[in-house]
Amino acid sequence: MSTLTQKKGVGAVIWDYLTTVDHKKIAILYLISGGFFFLVGGLEAMLIRIQLAIPNNDFVSAGLYNGILTMHGTTMIFLAAMPLIFALMNAVVPLQIGARDVAFPFLNSLGFWLFFFGGIFLNLSWFLGGAPDAGWTSYASLALESPGHGIDFYLLGLQVSGLGTLIAGINFLVTIINMRAPGMTYMRMPLFTWTTFVASALILFAFPALTVGLALLMFDRLFGTSFFDPAMGGNTVIWEHLFWIFGHPEVYILILPAFGVFSEIIPVFSRKRLFGYSSMVFATVLIGFLGFMVWAHHMFTTGLGPIANAIFAVATMAIAVPTGIKIFNWLFTMWGGTIRFTTPMIWSVAFIPTFLMGGVTGVMLAAASADYQYHDTYFVVAHFHYVIVGGLIFALFAGVTFWWPTMFGKMLNEMLGKITFVLFFTGFHLTFFIQHFLGLMGMPRRVFTFLPGQGLELGNVISTIGAFFMAVATIVFFYNIVVTSVKGKKVGMDPWGDGRTLEWAISSPPPEYNFKQTPLVRGLDALWVEKMEGKKEMTPAEPIGDIHMPNGSILPFIISLGLFVVSFGLLYREDYGWGLPAIVVGFIITLGAMFLRSVIDDHGYHIHKEDLIDDNQKGGKV
């Protein structure tokens, strides 16, 4: 138990986290690793903006710039955004549905370690001969011609990391379907749980397309096949289809949970039930469904023909409708509410016009004929960042601040939080708003420099200044975390005072078993229903009894480590004599750990009802 290990010293705490299968500790692991990769991706973004600050800059070379650009996009999407979303999912979803853990705690741990080792492997490319340099989409026509091992690091690292994401998505699907508390019907689930549910379904159907594409490209690069080589009868456009069949649902895998975060925060700080709950659920499911019908809008300039372009243009415009439903519902939730402008609420309010701008430019890009002009210009860069940063990163700042007490039992400093917001919000719009106009003036994306006298100097200087604002905001946010960790005061149950859902019905942070007694859910916003009847705690659905808990395990770490070794073996099998032995050893490690998992009878342990911690002593009640 964490309370015991902390008394034993640093080594015991590290071992505790290496072996944990507790969803709350895995959330912290995702948060730390995602935060690290966010800093790495942010540093790469700063290098990009410094290089483009002035014409004919030679701050970095063209080849190095391609590597930085590729790694910035890959790191931010796969290694920062995804794990930070999973951190919130792990911390909150089991609590919101009244569960004691996720359905498969062992797989939850395995999913994290696969992601982590895949991310580390990908970033080791910087130190082992050069980073991938074919763009974060790694189009086959560029990837097949790229010298060195950079693209191989990309292919193998994302295979391992993507496997972890797929496992996590399946786990959340099963958890939400099977582990809801009595009375928690689908139409009583909080919106963050709903958006996690739909995003997990998208992961289940989208990631296999990426896995197949990465595998085929890996065969082309490492084993001499010709799936994408036109000279040998292959077709490079097939890679684009496979990538974007994954790539566009991926945008919604990221943004739907962000919508869920705002749908939790706005009702709490408006002291009102979410307006149009059922229409929000319908819109969430519809966005998920339509997300699979729009991938070819990334390929309007590849020559698919007017019929295909028209179909995907209409589908792309149609997806704006459920998104519009959500925006009006958030506005109507605030309308007439008793609004408290806390840090999470400020992020939420700022998100609405910011994301709306990203949506409007998205509809512009959906017009296939106009897209011929916008495509491959900085207009697309601006649109993409308004959607992902203005949607997801705003949601991560809001959600991490909102649920920080749930994860750590302390509140982040409000003043520092608001300073972070002002700096980041200002810097974001300075950086990316001007890029719309740079794109319309003809500045191509992915170029490492530009010529003087083209009218692009001022816009690029403004954009770079804005990036420094965002960098300072991020530093302030991490300073806030350090100060809170050292000096922050412990908080108890429902620290914001107006919590509506089950995660606020227990102490902050929760005990390892989450709920002493499984709660009985009697309506939407389960905790608020009890509050309205004058109760301070949830009505239990069962008497107090022994609680079964899973044992920790080092096997997920070992399984992932084995695949990490296999990846190095595949990469260097023709360069060094140890390549083939590394493949064999890696598979022995992975398959051996899987075998041990299958033959060892691990029945977990029980917390006896006499030993249950009195939550009153922890500052909360169950």
Side-chain angles (χ1 to χ4, degrees):
M1 297 185 191
S2 60
T3 50
L4 295 174
T5 52
Q6 283 164 6
K7 293 174 184 174
K8 292 179 183 174
V10 175
V13 173
I14 291 172
W15 179 254
D16 188 27
Y17 276 90
L18 283 176
T19 60
T20 188
V21 295
D22 182 352
H23 71 95
K24 298 176 289 295
K25 290 179 183 171
I26 290 170
I28 292 170
L29 289 172
Y30 270 119
L31 190 70
I32 292 169
S33 52
F36 168 73
F37 286 123
F38 182 75
L39 290 178
V40 171
L43 180 63
E44 288 156 354
M46 292 307 300
L47 295 175
I48 291 169
R49 283 315 323 162
I50 292 169
Q51 168 63 19
L52 291 173
I54 55 174
N56 284 334
N57 199 356
D58 58 358
F59 178 70
V60 295
S61 66
L64 179 57
Y65 180 86
N66 286 342
I68 294 169
L69 186 80
T70 300
M71 286 298 287
H72 165 66
T74 308
T75 301
M76 282 302 200
I77 294 291
F78 294 103
L79 307 181
M82 290 294 290
L84 289 171
I85 280 291
F86 277 133
L88 294 182
M89 289 178 179
N90 268 291
V92 176
V93 169
L95 302 178
Q96 284 196 332
I97 62 173
R100 292 221 164 90
D101 208 322
V102 294
F104 307 116
F106 181 92
L107 279 185
N108 201 17
S109 174
L110 178 61
F112 168 75
W113 288 113
L114 284 168
F115 142 73
F116 181 76
F117 276 108
I120 294 297
F121 181 82
L122 178 57
N123 275 276
L124 284 175
S125 62
W126 285 115
F127 310 102
L128 297 172
D133 56 2
W136 81 276
T137 57
S138 204
Y139 277 9
S141 48
L142 293 172
L144 290 176
E145 299 300 322
S146 177
H149 282 302
I151 300 296
D152 305 325
F153 275 102
Y154 173 96
L155 296 170
L156 293 162
L158 289 189
Q159 289 274 46
V160 175
S161 188
L163 190 60
T165 303
L166 186 60
I167 286 172
I170 294 169
N171 205 349
F172 279 112
L173 272 179
V174 178
T175 300
I176 294 168
I177 291 170
N178 286 339
M179 301 192 68
R180 287 166 286 130
M184 177 68 77
T185 62
Y186 282 106
M187 294 309 288
R188 287 178 179 174
M189 292 197 316
L191 245 294
F192 184 67
T193 300
W194 256 114
T195 54
T196 298
F197 182 63
V198 175
S200 299
L202 294 181
I203 287 171
L204 181 64
F205 290 109
F207 264 80
L210 177 69
T211 304
V212 169
L214 290 170
L216 296 180
L217 192 54
M218 180 182 74
F219 285 132
D220 274 14
R221 289 224 9 138
L222 297 182
F223 301 107
T225 57
S226 56
F227 293 106
F228 304 117
D229 185 355
M232 298 173 69
N235 187 344
T236 58
V237 177
I238 298 296
W239 164 266
E240 297 186 34
H241 280 292
L242 287 170
F243 185 88
W244 289 118
I245 287 170
F246 147 80
H248 202 83
E250 167 70 4
V251 172
Y252 295 106
I253 290 166
L254 297 176
I255 211 67
L256 283 175
F259 289 170
V261 169
F262 296 124
S263 298
E264 299 298 323
I265 291 171
I266 290 171
V268 167
F269 297 115
S270 300
R271 286 183 63 88
K272 274 182 67 183
R273 179 179 162 177
L274 182 68
F275 184 91
Y277 170 85
S278 55
S279 65
M280 289 289 259
V281 170
F282 173 74
T284 302
V285 174
L286 187 59
I287 287 171
F289 178 72
L290 289 174
F292 278 99
M293 302 170 65
V294 298
W295 81 85
H297 69 210
H298 295 271
M299 301 165 60
F300 280 154
T301 58
T302 54
L304 296 178
I307 295 173
N309 282 4
I311 291 169
F312 283 100
V314 170
T316 306
M317 292 177 188
I319 214 165
V321 176
T323 312
I325 291 171
K326 285 180 170 291
I327 285 173
F328 280 111
N329 281 355
W330 288 318
L331 292 172
F332 288 140
T333 303
M334 288 186 276
W335 186 273
T338 309
I339 297 177
R340 282 197 296 145
F341 284 106
T342 59
T343 304
M345 188 62 172
I346 294 172
W347 282 109
S348 305
V349 173
F351 150 80
I352 293 174
T354 305
F355 189 80
L356 188 65
M357 289 173 66
V360 167
T361 53
V363 174
M364 292 171 69
L365 288 164
S369 53
D371 187 69
Y372 269 78
Q373 300 301 316
Y374 304 136
H375 202 80
D376 277 335
T377 72
Y378 259 76
F379 189 88
V380 176
V381 178
H383 157 72
F384 185 77
H385 285 84
Y386 260 82
V387 172
I388 296 298
V389 182
L392 176 67
I393 304 302
F394 279 29
L396 289 173
F397 276 118
V400 167
T401 307
F402 184 56
W403 282 307
W404 194 263
T406 303
M407 299 178 78
F408 299 101
K410 296 181 177 182
M411 299 278 276
L412 289 172
N413 184 289
E414 276 287 291
M415 180 54 68
L416 287 174
K418 285 168 181 170
I419 291 170
T420 300
F421 166 77
V422 170
L423 288 170
F424 196 93
F425 184 77
T426 305
F428 167 76
H429 285 286
L430 272 178
T431 302
F432 296 110
F433 185 73
I434 196 78
Q435 288 183 5
H436 292 103
F437 301 99
L438 287 171
L440 293 174
M441 291 162 71
M443 182 173 173
R445 56 184 171 147
R446 306 190 192 97
V447 291
F448 87 107
T449 191
F450 58 97
L451 296 172
Q454 295 180 303
L456 305 176
E457 290 95 332
L458 179 61
N460 276 294
V461 167
I462 293 171
S463 195
T464 299
I465 291 169
F468 277 96
F469 271 87
M470 285 195 284
V472 173
T474 307
I475 292 167
V476 172
F477 185 72
F478 279 92
Y479 173 73
N480 190 355
I481 288 173
V482 172
V483 168
T484 302
S485 301
V486 175
K487 297 182 180 177
K489 293 180 181 177
K490 290 279 186 182
V491 294
M493 177 180 139
D494 195 15
W496 295 106
D498 291 313
R500 309 178 73 85
T501 44
L502 286 177
E503 74 268 29
W504 307 114
I506 48 178
S507 59
S508 300
E512 63 174 325
Y513 47 80
N514 293 352
F515 297 90
K516 191 192 298 182
Q517 295 164 276
T518 301
L520 179 67
V521 176
R522 299 194 295 152
L524 182 62
D525 292 347
L527 178 59
W528 198 257
V529 170
E530 305 294 329
K531 286 181 177 180
M532 290 299 99
E533 294 187 2
K535 298 177 182 177
K536 292 185 178 179
E537 53 190 76
M538 291 299 300
T539 303
E542 62 181 6
I544 294 180
D546 293 353
I547 296 174
H548 178 260
M549 301 293 293
N551 284 321
S553 176
I554 193 65
L555 293 179
F557 180 89
I558 294 172
I559 291 170
S560 307
L561 178 64
L563 291 179
F564 183 72
V565 174
V566 169
S567 299
F568 272 108
L570 282 169
L571 199 69
Y572 291 119
R573 78 193 195 292
E574 291 184 348
D575 302 348
Y576 302 103
W578 53 261
L580 280 173
I583 297 172
V584 174
V585 170
F587 274 123
I588 289 172
I589 293 170
T590 295
L591 296 174
M594 288 178 172
F595 177 74
L596 283 176
R597 170 68 179 167
S598 66
V599 298
I600 295 173
D601 278 339
D602 183 359
H603 299 297
Y605 66 96
H606 284 87
I607 300 174
H608 299 292
K609 61 182 179 182
E610 299 81 16
D611 302 327
L612 288 176
I613 299 167
D614 184 354
D615 281 297
N616 293 326
Q617 295 173 3
K618 292 189 72 184
K621 293 182 180 179
V622 183

